[in-house]
Amino acid sequence: MTTLEWEEIIPISLKEAWEFFSNPHNLSKLTPRHMDFKILSDTPEKLYEGMVINYTVRPLMGIKMYWSTEITQVKKESYFVDNQILGPYKIWHHQHHFEECKGGVKMTDILNYELPYSFFNTIINNMIVKREIQKIFTYRKESLKTLLK
């Protein structure tokens, strides 16, 4: 299992951060365009526990993948958790934490994932997957600078 963690300070209020990140439709604004992220399910604008989101994405070499995640935990203006139900990973568990701090909101993402392959996991993860995930979160960080002023 691989664990990655990111922290960043966003210069907005906790309420504004929660409103933005708890709206599943904003995920496309935080995903690189070349990944062609599209929500397929009829999805409301607010997360809730038990919510399932179905979408397609092209995470690697333009290969289209179907992905389904469930929001398993929500504590308003504090955190939410999504888990992959169907998709390219054996395990995908993503925690999103929000905390007021000096200068705005500290947002912490904790991602635990495991690839479906057993023999080549370490090689594929270190050579490709971990780097691609890091690129997505770097893109998100840069996008937030213009989206949440």
Side-chain angles (χ1 to χ4, degrees), residues 82-130:
D82 64 87
N83 287 306
Q84 174 191 279
I85 298 169
L86 176 67
Y89 295 89
K90 181 176 179 181
I91 297 170
W92 177 276
H93 177 83
H94 185 186
Q95 302 173 49
H96 312 254
H97 297 269
F98 304 87
E99 180 182 341
E100 284 184 302
C101 67
K102 184 177 180 181
V105 174
K106 179 172 84 169
M107 186 174 71
T108 305
D109 284 280
I110 303 167
L111 174 60
N112 296 290
Y113 69 92
E114 188 174 322
L115 298 175
Y117 323 104
S118 57
F119 184 71
F120 297 109
N121 263 359
T122 303
I123 295 168
I124 293 169
N125 187 47
N126 289 336
M127 290 181 66
I128 302 169
V129 177
K130 190 188 293 185

Side-chain angles (χ1 to χ4, degrees), residues 32-95:
R33 288 183 187 214
H34 75 273
M35 292 181 70
D36 196 27
F37 176 88
K38 291 184 177 132
I39 294 178
L40 302 174
S41 48
D42 185 21
T43 306
E45 293 185 6
K46 293 291 169 217
L47 294 176
Y48 59 85
E49 284 185 22
M51 175 184 223
V52 174
I53 305 168
N54 300 306
Y55 49 92
T56 57
V57 64
R58 297 177 188 268
L60 195 59
M61 298 183 293
I63 299 168
K64 185 185 227 179
M65 294 186 177
Y66 292 90
W67 201 327
S68 184
T69 57
E70 179 181 6
I71 306 302
T72 57
Q73 299 174 42
V74 177
K75 183 174 180 190
K76 187 176 181 182
E77 296 183 2
S78 184
Y79 67 88
F80 66 90
V81 178
D82 64 87
N83 287 306
Q84 174 191 279
I85 298 169
L86 176 67
Y89 295 89
K90 181 176 179 181
I91 297 170
W92 177 276
H93 177 83
H94 185 186
Q95 302 173 49

